[in-house]
C-alpha cells in the first residue's frame, strides 16, 4: 500500500487538471473527458473498464476487479463532476499548502476517484476475496442522474454486492445516513401596468415578500427542533427569485424557487403540506397563486 500513497498525488493532479464542472450548475463541459481518462488509465493496467453514456453527454465509468470467488462483491462509488470555479486562482492546477492540497475537486471528490483507481490497480494484482466493483458516476452535484443510471441499468447486470462504500468526503467519519432534498417552486400572479398608473398595477415581486419571510421563519423553527442523532437539523433556503420585464412595468408574475433539506421520515406529502402552510402564513389568497409545484425530490437515506 506504500506504492498507493506514492502514486496518489500525481494521479490526483491529473484528475484535477481535467475540467469536469457539472454543466447544469456552471455551464461546464461535464464528465466525458474525465471518464475517458479514467477508462484509459484503468485499461492500461489490465482492468476491464467501460465509459457509459448515462444521459446526453454525461458519462459513468464501471469496472469489475475479479476476486478469488469466496466473498461477496463490494461496490465502491465516487462522482466525477465538480461545482464551478468562481473566485478560484488556477483551479485546475493542484498545489500543496502544508498538509493540504488545493484544486477544484481535490476534496470533493477527485481524491476519492484517484483512490478507487489505485485500489483497482492494486487488487487486479492481488485479488480480494470477492469481486470489487469500481463505479464513477456523473452529476452528483445536481440530480444524481449517474447514480440513478447505475442502479437502474448497471447493477441488474452483475451479482448484487454485499455492501457499498460511497467515498464522499465525511471528515474521516463513517456516514450512515444522508439528508434528502426537495426543490419547490411558487409563481404568484400580479397585474401588469405602466409605472405611471400605480392604481392599475399589482407588483407580483412584492407579493413574494411575505412568503420569503415565512420561509425565513421556517428555517428558524428548524434550527431549534430536536436534531436527528446522525444528520442534525433539516433546513430551507430561497434559491432563486425571478420576475418583471422592464423598469417601468409592474411585474405580472414572480417565481420563487427554494430548496428544502429533509430528514428521515419526511415524505413528499409532508413537503407539499408544508408548502401550503407557508402560503397560508404569508397570507396569500388563492387568486394570487398561479402555480406551486414540487419540481424534484430525492428522499433521505439511513442505513439500519
Amino acid at each position: 500500500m506504500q506504492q498507493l500513497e506514492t502514486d496518489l498525488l500525481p494521479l490526483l493532479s491529473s484528475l484535477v487538471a481535467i475540467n469536469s464542472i457539472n454543466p447544469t450548475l456552471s455551464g461546464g463541459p461535464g464528465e466525458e473527458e474525465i471518464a475517458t481518462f479514467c477508462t484509459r488509465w484503468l485499461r492500461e493496467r489490465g482492468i476491464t473498464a467501460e465509459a457509459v453514456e448515462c444521459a446526453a453527454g454525461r458519462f459513468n465509468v464501471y469496472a469489475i476487479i475479479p476476486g478469488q470467488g469466496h466473498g461477496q462483491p463490494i461496490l465502491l462509488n465516487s462522482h466525477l463532476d465538480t461545482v464551478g470555479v468562481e473566485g478560484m486562482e488556477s483551479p485546475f492546477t493542484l498545489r500543496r499548502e502544508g498538509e493540504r492540497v488545493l484544486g477544484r475537486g481535490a476534496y470533493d471528490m477527485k481524491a476519492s476517484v484517484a483512490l478507487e483507481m489505485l485500489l483497482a490497480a492494486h487488487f487486479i494484482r492481488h485479488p480480494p476475496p470477492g469481486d470489487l466493483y469500481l463505479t464513477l458516476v456523473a452529476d452528483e452535484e445536481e440530480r444524481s442522474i449517474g447514480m440513478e443510471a447505475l442502479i437502474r441499468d448497471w447493477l441488474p447486470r452483475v451479482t448484487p454486492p454485499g455492501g457499498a462504500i460511497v467515498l464522499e468526503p465525511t471528515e474521516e467519519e463513517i456516514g450512515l445516513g444522508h439528508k434528502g432534498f426537495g426543490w419547490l417552486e411558487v409563481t404568484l400572479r400580479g397585474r401588469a401596468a405602466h409605472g405611471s398608473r400605480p392604481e392599475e398595477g399589482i407588483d407580483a415581486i412584492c407579493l413574494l415578500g411575505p412568503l420569503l419571510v415565512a420561509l425565513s421563519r421556517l428555517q428558524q423553527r428548524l434550527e431549534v427542533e430536536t436534531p436527528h442523532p446522525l444528520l442534525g437539523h433539516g433546513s430551507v433556503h430561497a434559491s432563486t427569485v425571478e420576475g418583471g420585464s422592464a423598469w417601468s412595468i409592474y411585474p405580472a408574475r414572480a417565481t420563487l424557487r427554494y430548496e428544502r433539506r429533509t430528514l428521515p421520515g419526511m415524505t413528499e406529502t409532508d413537503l407539499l403540506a408544508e408548502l401550503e402552510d407557508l402560503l397560508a402564513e404569508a397570507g396569500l389568497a388563492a387568486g394570487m397563486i398561479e402555480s406551486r409545484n414540487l419540481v424534484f425530490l430525492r428522499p433521505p437515506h439511513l442505513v439500519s
Side-chain angles (χ1 to χ4, degrees), residues 171-214:
E171 307 299 336
E172 300 184 354
E173 298 289 337
I174 297 176
L176 299 177
H178 196 287
K179 293 178 183 177
F181 68 90
W183 292 343
L184 298 102
E185 179 181 85
V186 178
T187 297
L188 300 184
R189 183 185 298 114
R191 184 185 300 125
H194 194 271
S196 64
R197 298 178 177 271
E199 70 281 358
E200 297 178 4
I202 298 176
D203 189 331
I205 294 175
C206 285
L207 293 179
L208 287 177
L211 183 56
L212 289 166
V213 171

Side-chain angles (χ1 to χ4, degrees), residues 204-283:
I205 294 175
C206 285
L207 293 179
L208 287 177
L211 183 56
L212 289 166
V213 171
L215 209 65
S216 178
R217 288 175 178 159
L218 172 59
Q219 174 60 27
Q220 292 169 11
R221 294 193 295 271
L222 293 173
E223 290 172 355
V224 297
E225 287 184 348
T226 301
H228 187 278
L230 294 177
L231 301 176
H233 295 95
S235 64
V236 64
H237 72 270
S239 301
T240 66
V241 172
E242 295 180 4
S245 58
W247 286 97
S248 296
I249 302 297
Y250 277 73
R253 60 178 45 82
T255 298
L256 167 67
R257 298 182 181 93
Y258 70 92
E259 180 181 73
R260 178 68 159 88
R261 293 278 168 160
T262 60
L263 297 175
M266 190 167 198
T267 66
E268 178 178 347
T269 300
D270 296 328
L271 275 177
L272 292 171
E274 184 179 79
L275 170 56
E276 294 304 315
D277 290 342
L278 288 169
L279 294 171
E281 183 179 342

Side-chain angles (χ1 to χ4, degrees), residues 84-91 104:
V85 297
E86 292 79 7
M88 295 184 67
E89 182 178 346
S90 303
R104 173 48 73 223

